[in-house]
Amino acid sequence: METEKPLGLRAALCGTVGLCCAVLLAGFCGPGSVHSHSIPLQLPRDCGIQQYYDPTNLSCVQCPDFQRPSHWGTSCICLPGYRRNSTGDCERCPTSLGVTTDGWSCIKCPSGLNSNGNCHCPPGRIMVERDVNGSLLSEAECIDCDGTEPSFTAPNTLENRCERCHHTVINRSNSCSCNQPNIMTGGICYNAEGSFLSNALLNVRYSQLGLILRSEWFSMHLQASAAACLTYSNQTSCQALGNMCVMNMHSTSTSSADACGLFQYIFTSTVGLGVVHSLSYWRTNLPWLFYGDQPGLASRTLVSSPVPTSYTFKESEEVENTKLQFLAAVYDIQGNFIKWQSLAGGLLQLCPDTMAKLDAAFSFGTTYQHDCGISVSKLLHDHPEPVFYDVYLVYPGNEGQQNLLPVPVLNLNLQYHEMFVNQGDNINNWLLTRRIFLVDTVSGRENSLADPPRLIRVASKITISIRLVPDTYKGIIYPPLMTVEYADVQLQNPESQIVKVSFSVNYEMRLLDSMKKTDVAIGVLGGLAVLWSLLKTAAWKRRIGSSFIDLQTVIHFLIFYAGALADVFFLVTFGTGLYWLILFKGQRYVSVLLPVSEEEYNFVSYVWCAFALKALQFLHKILLQLSIDIFFIDWERPKARTQHSEGKTKNSGAPVSIWRSYFIANEWNEIQTVRKISPIFQVLAVLFFLEIVGFKHLALMDPSSSLSRNAQDYMAPWSRILRYGVSTALWLAIGCLQVLFFSAFYERYVEDKIRQFVDLCSMSNISLFILSHRCYGYYIHGRSVHGQADTNMEEMNLNLKREAENLCSQRGLQPNSDIQTFQISISSRARTHFDQIQDSLTKSHGPSRLFHSSLSTSDLNTRAYNSMNKFLSSFIDHAFKEVDYFVKDKMLLERLLNMEFMEPMDKSIFYNDENHSFTDVLFYGNESTLLIFDTLFFCVVDVASQNFVLAAVLTYLQQELFRLFRNAVGKKNLASKTLIDERFLI
């Protein structure tokens, strides 16, 4: 027997004395002594067999003599056969006597002793140790209870009192004995012969593990609850029976008499009792567990009748519903109604968190996701018995009346005729149910409820789906659907076993129209892309001087189509992302909801397609730039030089300096990767606005448009569509602003490297002849109007002054023209001449060493260089009638389509080009392609990683890698085609 007051008093006194001693010691030590406040850690499991755990000093204490630890291990009790005396000590009772029930006295026993040293009586009798005034009897008495009419009493469970027998026993046998053919189960006496209860299955099926387990709880209560529910319409018993059906996952079978089979039998047998609230699925006295098994019933339940109220993202005078209000009717395992309780505060969420974050689940429009791992030992401790919930949605009615809308449940573990009908996508096959629980630690106990369970069942995934009624624009929703998935856990090591659980709320709407519009846009624009690609292919065929359709033509058509289709995908995805961003975040009366993760698949696929196709176009452009033919035409002529030798005068030409060509080549090499934007500024600016300013918060799947969020508030999951919309909008906006600033201000007032290069060519008396295709390219006329550029500073300044005062001719190719840049379309004959010289020019790439070059190779290269320079300069000067050219302007349509309608037959064509189109062979002229490629690269990295910082870093790295590659290979091509030693290109 446990008698703890003296021992507790003694412990309290000891604690008080110890505290006083500690205070005195602290006073004696004075302020100069500093001690560490540390104590040894002792846990209850560290205590020995004869020790108990004292929670007042957090340590194990030895039990006194003749005592042992109590059942809970926090106090000591006397050993069997010992009583407690007035001093609180334990002393042994004489051999012939037993210990009284209260543990303070010894008494003579009429029928012997039990294992604890107490008196006991035969079955059917109660033990009496004291008389009516509390005096101890000299000998304990065993009293028979009067089981006849009118008393009908029997011993209670503690066998210390006579109580009236259960009325079902009395009604069956007119006594307190439940005799054959009646049986006694769960305190209920009923006739089992021919009854539907005779074949009741007392098992629980764990389908995930493939186990069928006998349940002690079902053995004790299933038949009794069913009998009391059917025979006596006992509401608590009916609720308890319904709970056992819920613990069996609502699974039903026509040939099974399990908990749900018994419930369905009673439901059918009590049809005459009527229904509750005019709901045919809700029988009087029974809980509402099923919606029925008619085909198509789930579809009608979920989408036929919208909730008669409106919801909004922002409160207004007309609509104030910004939160979903759910209410649950709570029942215990015995079927007793406990209370009504709101789902706010995390009632159905096993994962702990702050109230603000848990309640964010019911903010309308906020996609909620909360998951964690919980140890099995914690589940066993926190949920000794399952609690059952019937969930309702609360909405305002007329005249301030609050109404309830039942929330249907889709139990993914439900089996109907041995089939998991709720795990398919066909809504017409679903069987909706009502009641749920979170953790069941009872039904898995096989032999005794006091033993730990062999298995437990946990609601591992709960999802509330809110579906918007389309085309209402008032925030009207269909009835919410709660999807529950249970996990069967077999106990092995509860301390280390972890169960993953999650609770989520998502929002859905019919997106077939939006997806159809997207597909139509891609189809229409894709058709236009085919036409554009055909035009590009035709222009390319004319530029290479070929009229035959071959494999190379098909390949280039596919490359052009890939670039055009990449722009189509980018345009559609950018528009879609911006559409969802503006419309979802800006709406007050809810008309659209974000696509869920599964519905984003097509969108993400389009983004990846856009990136892959744009990457192909980008690589093709780089390869085209790295394979151009280029030559620097030097117009400088040798100066006459007079030499005096031995009294004789000799006239000769001074050699032309090569350093001007080297200088122009280096300048060209430097502008090969010049862009209209600063890549590092672009990356840092995008990161600044996303991470620092907080634009990334616009991509959260909640209705808030705030750029700043409190760290203690719930952070909704990211929407990949919104992230794409925000990042592309920012990247393009900052990029376009940079281009605008570069073109409108920087190039005009600070530095214009392209025009400066053209001017430098004129001052250096060097022209550029570039062929990007076989019969198409660009020409920069750099012939000096002063005749010579290899001069001293004084003459150079004088030339500049004369040009500024218009005292010399204009720089243009034609008289009285300032146009120095041209698009050229050369004839096949001119190309043949060029190739003949180019072949000899490219046989050798120049000397391998600066001072140890082969003389023959040097002579060959010099001769080829001079031949090319002479041919091209003569060609520009119209020296060859068979390879002549003429100059004209492009027509407007030619400029718009970037193609040439006229084919050069006998003469080449030079098209006036004031827009410096030669930059098409540089990064400068392909800024739109580079900008879109960088945008898509940033977005695909972010889509894959959900990390803006990582995406920015990788984007900058790829920009630098491609720049270095373009510089390195472009330098080699420049050296190869112009015969300029690569060592002079710095």
Side-chain angles (χ1 to χ4, degrees), residues 302-595:
L302 295 176
V303 298
S304 60
S305 301
V307 179
T309 189
S310 298
Y311 293 90
T312 182
F313 289 165
K314 302 174 179 65
E315 291 187 1
S316 63
E317 296 181 358
E318 300 178 1
V319 181
E320 298 181 355
N321 292 337
T322 60
K323 289 187 176 295
L324 296 167
Q325 299 182 24
F326 289 99
L327 205 60
V330 186
Y331 298 85
D332 64 12
I333 191 172
Q334 289 86 6
N336 299 305
F337 174 77
I338 302 176
K339 59 181 175 181
W340 284 99
Q341 188 170 354
S342 172
L343 263 60
L347 180 64
L348 298 184
Q349 302 185 48
L350 292 173
C351 296
D353 215 321
T354 62
M355 293 294 292
K357 292 184 178 181
L358 293 175
D359 290 345
F362 308 111
S363 178
F364 186 74
T366 298
T367 299
Y368 184 86
Q369 177 71 39
H370 192 198
D371 48 28
C372 64
I374 304 178
S375 67
V376 173
S377 60
K378 179 174 175 58
L379 293 174
L380 292 172
H381 178 269
D382 295 344
H383 303 274
E385 289 185 352
V387 179
F388 298 84
Y389 307 93
D390 291 341
V391 182
Y392 298 85
L393 175 67
V394 182
Y395 66 93
N398 297 327
E399 299 179 356
Q401 174 67 40
Q402 296 289 316
N403 296 330
L404 299 177
L405 180 71
V407 176
V409 175
L410 184 68
N411 187 346
L412 299 183
N413 298 72
L414 183 147
Q415 286 183 276
Y416 183 71
H417 299 319
E418 310 300 326
M419 296 178 61
F420 293 98
V421 294
N422 289 343
Q423 294 184 4
D425 295 329
N426 188 352
I427 189 175
N428 293 319
N429 293 335
W430 290 354
L431 293 180
L432 301 179
T433 56
R434 282 284 297 135
R435 184 167 295 185
I436 67 169
F437 65 88
L438 296 182
V439 182
D440 175 17
T441 61
V442 172
S443 63
R445 303 176 191 265
E446 290 184 285
N447 301 316
S448 173
L449 296 179
D451 295 336
R454 180 180 171 187
L455 300 102
I456 65 172
R457 184 168 269 155
V458 183
S460 59
K461 186 176 182 181
I462 299 179
T463 302
I464 299 178
S465 301
I466 312 297
R467 189 170 187 183
L468 187 69
V469 178
D471 303 326
T472 59
Y473 308 104
K474 295 181 180 179
I476 298 177
I477 63 173
Y478 289 116
L481 173 66
M482 180 178 292
T483 304
V484 183
E485 182 178 359
Y486 290 92
D488 300 336
V489 182
Q490 189 169 4
L491 267 66
Q492 296 174 349
N493 187 354
E495 295 292 338
S496 61
Q497 281 183 274
I498 301 297
V499 180
K500 298 291 185 180
V501 297
S502 69
F503 181 90
S504 59
V505 180
N506 58 49
Y507 293 81
E508 306 172 0
M509 65 174 295
R510 189 180 65 187
L511 296 175
L512 293 178
D513 294 339
S514 299
M515 296 173 63
K516 184 177 180 180
K517 292 177 182 177
T518 301
D519 294 339
V520 169
I522 290 178
V524 172
L525 295 177
L528 295 177
V530 173
L531 298 178
W532 177 253
S533 303
L534 289 173
L535 287 175
K536 296 282 287 184
T537 306
W540 173 80
K541 290 291 290 182
R542 177 154 293 178
R543 289 177 177 181
I544 65 171
S546 171
S547 58
F548 300 101
I549 298 178
D550 51 9
L551 180 60
Q552 187 181 15
T553 304
V554 175
I555 293 175
H556 275 78
F557 167 76
L558 294 177
I559 292 176
F560 293 139
Y561 183 58
L565 200 58
D567 294 334
V568 169
F569 279 121
F570 177 73
L571 181 63
V572 171
T573 53
F574 174 63
T576 302
L578 205 59
Y579 166 83
W580 286 109
L581 178 64
I582 296 174
L583 196 60
F584 176 74
K585 293 290 184 177
Q587 62 186 339
R588 167 179 286 182
Y589 301 103
V590 183
S591 59
V592 296
L593 294 174
L594 290 173

Side-chain angles (χ1 to χ4, degrees), residues 36 836 867:
S36 175
Q836 290 175 352
S867 298

Side-chain angles (χ1 to χ4, degrees), residues 162-210:
C162 291
E163 294 180 348
R164 183 173 177 84
C165 301
H166 197 271
H167 64 90
T168 60
V169 182
I170 299 174
N171 292 341
R172 287 288 179 183
S173 62
N174 199 33
S175 67
C176 282
S177 299
C178 187
N179 300 321
Q180 292 292 338
N182 302 313
I183 60 173
M184 190 77 173
T185 303
I188 302 295
C189 182
Y190 62 95
N191 189 351
E193 288 189 356
S195 171
F196 71 104
L197 297 174
S198 58
N199 298 322
L201 298 179
L202 308 178
N203 302 324
V204 178
R205 175 178 295 182
Y206 294 89
S207 301
Q208 291 181 349
L209 302 176

